[in-house]
Amino acid sequence: MRKIKKHWKLIVATMILLSLSISIIAYSWFGNQHEIGRMQEIVPPNNIYLSAAHREAEINFQIGEVNTNATDTHREYVFSVSGSGIPYYVLKIAHTTNNPFTYEIYPASFATEPPSGTEGVDYVKYTATGVHTTGSPETVPNDVTADVTYYYTINGAKIGGSYQNNLDNSNPLLADPNAAHHDRTYLENDQVQKNAEPLYWKSTAQTGSANAFCHNYILKVDWTGKTIDKTLKETDIVYLFASTSSESGN
């Protein structure tokens, strides 16, 4: 596999039946949405889909500006997982570590009235298009209406999980170049800059449904208490995944 190289942009991607690429300038803001390429379906017959809010077409996954010069210390983005006949699934994150960001996932709820607080920090604003990810369930409980604006907020505890290849006692957190994940990502004995070596995080099993479902989540990008050198423009690559799972084996 080709080495992950530095660019002047942070790429956020979702990968299940689709691949999402979003350009982001990392040191002071996350940029605007870009086109998404789809991946071939690989989990028949019970597919799971990663999409924008409420299983809307992934091209509608929007990244708003993140200004680390402001008083805010995090930014929030909404996405969803949908499917049918899936008892359990897991969420995964893979990311490089050039910037001192932490990535957390929370369950989300939505309403038609705006809550108090700051958009993108205390809630995520999203206007439904009615265009869904191809193959995702046609109808789900508590569905949304096209052309209506919804407001998504964190509703519950942070999704549990753990890193699979972190270097013990590293601060900030770094990937272990001797872990098995290294050879799966790169050629054997390949030399990789420490911050370009991706960390892999995996959630505990989440409960799906025998029927059609759509679960909304908020990805929280946080830099609370971190020192960010705003004279540098660094690159990070972040991937979101979802996959079917057994209850115990994940």
Side-chain angles (χ1 to χ4, degrees), residues 227-249:
T227 300
I228 298 177
D229 187 346
K230 300 178 180 63
T231 65
L232 299 177
K233 295 181 180 180
E234 291 288 358
T235 299
D236 273 315
I237 299 176
V238 182
Y239 291 95
L240 299 177
F241 304 83
S243 61
T244 57
S245 171
S246 65
E247 180 179 13
S248 58

Side-chain angles (χ1 to χ4, degrees), residues 4 6 95-100 172-175 186 192-199 234-237:
I4 297 175
K6 287 190 176 182
H95 66 88
T96 52
T97 58
N98 290 301
N99 293 284
L173 202 62
L174 295 171
Y186 303 97
V192 183
Q193 197 273 340
K194 64 179 182 179
N195 295 112
E197 181 100 14
L199 282 164
E234 291 288 358
T235 299
D236 273 315
I237 299 176

Side-chain angles (χ1 to χ4, degrees), residues 54-81:
H54 226 95
R55 82 193 186 288
E56 296 240 318
E58 52 277 9
I59 198 169
N60 297 306
F61 183 89
Q62 299 193 20
I63 299 295
E65 184 178 273
V66 171
N67 183 359
T68 57
N69 288 307
T71 57
D72 305 329
T73 57
H74 73 271
R75 199 75 181 177
E76 297 178 356
Y77 309 97
V78 62
F79 68 94
S80 67
V81 175

Side-chain angles (χ1 to χ4, degrees), residues 213-233:
F213 71 91
C214 179
H215 297 163
N216 292 290
Y217 292 97
I218 284 178
L219 171 67
K220 181 178 180 181
V221 181
D222 194 291
W223 59 95
T224 302
K226 306 295 178 60
T227 300
I228 298 177
D229 187 346
K230 300 178 180 63
T231 65
L232 299 177
K233 295 181 180 180

